[in-house]
Amino acid sequence: MTELFSHTASRQLSQMFFAVLFFHGSEYLLAIIFHGKSNVTLKSLLISRQYILAMILSILEYLLELYLFPELKEHWWISNFGLLMVVVGEVIRKLAIITAGHAFTHLIQTHHAEHHKLVTHGVYSIVRHPGYTGFLIWSVGTQVMLCNPVSTVAFTVVVWNFFRRRIPYEEYFLRQFFGEYEEFAKRVPSGIPFVK
């Protein structure tokens, strides 16, 4: 049990908890800034039962591997690369939210609102869905940072599959709302590998 109080564990776990708290806290704060407190619910924290379960399982994997294979957690170059992924993913996602401003919502819009506009500048000129790109990098990065091989693969597959289904659904409505979306989609990649 002394492994839990080692420098490695305290550093990696504190980085993980800080990353999760910062991600969700800043999501909520930005939602309030752009949409007003009365229009923001706890759904803006983007926390679901599946998400909580995934995070709990990743911490359990970490603790089990820390106990059984403590040397696995000592690969600092891997852990630091994961930390870099967390920071890069966070920056990309927050740039997406700030660039889109009021047009950025956490829920897919199925009706065209007056304030809803197609954003094609800034980070959106590089990828169509930078918020999704950022989240994919961030979520996988949290597991690389913990040197969690099983959760790294699981998070990659689950998050990628989620966006593989979500992007076509969302883009169906975007094509209805914005006549220029088709040309934009041809010109700019989705930002999620192997998802057109």
Side-chain angles (χ1 to χ4, degrees), residues 110-136:
T110 57
H111 297 84
H112 189 252
E114 190 176 316
H115 69 272
H116 198 186
K117 62 181 185 205
L118 180 62
V119 180
T120 60
H121 63 282
V123 70
Y124 288 87
S125 66
I126 301 167
V127 293
R128 294 193 313 269
H129 299 282
Y132 298 162
T133 304
F135 184 79
L136 177 62

Side-chain angles (χ1 to χ4, degrees), residues 137-180:
I137 295 169
W138 178 88
S139 64
V140 173
T142 62
Q143 300 312 304
V144 173
M145 184 174 67
L146 292 177
C147 297
N148 275 355
V150 175
S151 291
T152 295
V153 172
F155 274 51
T156 302
V157 170
V158 170
V159 174
W160 178 85
N161 196 45
F162 174 78
F163 289 134
R164 178 186 63 81
R165 291 189 318 269
R166 184 179 175 105
I167 287 173
Y169 178 71
E170 180 176 358
E171 289 190 343
Y172 168 81
F173 295 105
L174 290 170
R175 283 180 170 86
Q176 308 299 314
F177 302 159
F178 307 108
E180 66 272 27

Side-chain angles (χ1 to χ4, degrees), residues 6-170:
S6 70
H7 172 70
T8 299
S10 60
R11 177 185 165 196
Q12 289 170 330
L13 289 172
S14 62
Q15 286 175 176
M16 173 66 171
F17 289 122
F18 179 77
V20 170
L21 287 173
F22 184 83
F23 178 88
H24 294 290
S26 60
E27 290 281 318
Y28 190 70
L29 181 62
L30 287 171
I32 289 172
I33 289 170
F34 289 115
H35 299 286
K37 188 169 175 95
S38 62
N39 296 320
V40 177
T41 67
L42 288 179
K43 284 187 177 183
S44 297
L45 285 174
L46 302 177
I47 299 175
S48 66
R49 280 186 283 205
Q50 295 90 339
Y51 176 82
I52 292 170
L53 178 61
M55 286 299 183
I56 289 171
L57 290 174
S58 78
I59 296 298
L60 289 176
E61 176 189 352
Y62 182 84
L63 296 174
L64 182 65
E65 290 169 354
L66 184 67
Y67 180 72
L68 296 175
F69 315 106
E71 66 281 357
L72 181 66
K73 304 304 180 186
E74 296 294 337
H75 296 287
W76 286 107
W77 68 273
I78 294 174
S79 185
N80 289 337
F81 182 72
L83 178 59
L84 178 65
M85 288 176 68
V86 166
V87 171
V88 168
E90 183 75 52
V91 168
I92 292 170
R93 181 156 175 96
K94 294 318 186 263
L95 279 174
I97 294 172
I98 292 166
T99 302
H102 199 66
F104 189 97
T105 58
H106 288 104
L107 303 175
I108 293 175
Q109 301 301 299
T110 57
H111 297 84
H112 189 252
E114 190 176 316
H115 69 272
H116 198 186
K117 62 181 185 205
L118 180 62
V119 180
T120 60
H121 63 282
V123 70
Y124 288 87
S125 66
I126 301 167
V127 293
R128 294 193 313 269
H129 299 282
Y132 298 162
T133 304
F135 184 79
L136 177 62
I137 295 169
W138 178 88
S139 64
V140 173
T142 62
Q143 300 312 304
V144 173
M145 184 174 67
L146 292 177
C147 297
N148 275 355
V150 175
S151 291
T152 295
V153 172
F155 274 51
T156 302
V157 170
V158 170
V159 174
W160 178 85
N161 196 45
F162 174 78
F163 289 134
R164 178 186 63 81
R165 291 189 318 269
R166 184 179 175 105
I167 287 173
Y169 178 71
E170 180 176 358

